[in-house]
Amino acid sequence: MFAAKLVNWKGNFRKEANRGLTPLGKEAIVWLANAGILTDITHMSDQSRKDAIAWMEENQIPPLSTHDGFKPIQNHPRGMEEEDVLRIYQ
């Protein structure tokens, strides 16, 4: 739990805004899928989430969002947009 928070905290100090999913992130999604583990895209930035969903669609990996907010109901920076919800659950 601490390591996960440390990794996420590290991203807060990056200068690039909305940089999206990195090559390492794409590699991690594939590695997790090969291990039989679903990747939870909850609380990702908009660009990272869009990149992750596109990457997962391209590689036929099912995305998972367990407890995200929904921007049309409450406009929060990390909430999901309607188009993302539709792409996940189609």
Side-chain angles (χ1 to χ4, degrees), residues 13-90:
F13 295 104
R14 300 219 184 247
K15 294 181 182 177
E16 312 92 26
N18 295 320
R19 63 190 177 111
L21 190 65
T22 65
L24 181 60
K26 291 178 180 180
E27 186 179 321
I29 289 172
V30 172
W31 186 88
L32 290 167
N34 289 337
I37 301 169
L38 293 172
T39 300
D40 192 347
I41 61 172
T42 299
H43 301 305
M44 284 185 167
S45 68
D46 285 339
Q47 189 59 54
S48 292
R49 183 183 310 105
K50 290 181 187 320
D51 292 350
I53 293 170
W55 179 251
M56 291 169 142
E57 285 174 347
E58 183 180 319
N59 290 279
Q60 299 179 335
I61 299 169
L64 173 70
S65 179
T66 59
H67 63 280
D68 246 320
F70 188 49
K71 278 189 181 179
I73 294 173
Q74 183 176 8
N75 190 12
H76 187 276
R78 300 265 180 186
M80 290 186 80
E81 295 176 359
E82 185 175 359
E83 97 179 40
D84 294 336
V85 172
L86 293 173
R87 285 178 72 190
I88 291 173
Y89 295 103
Q90 283 184 333

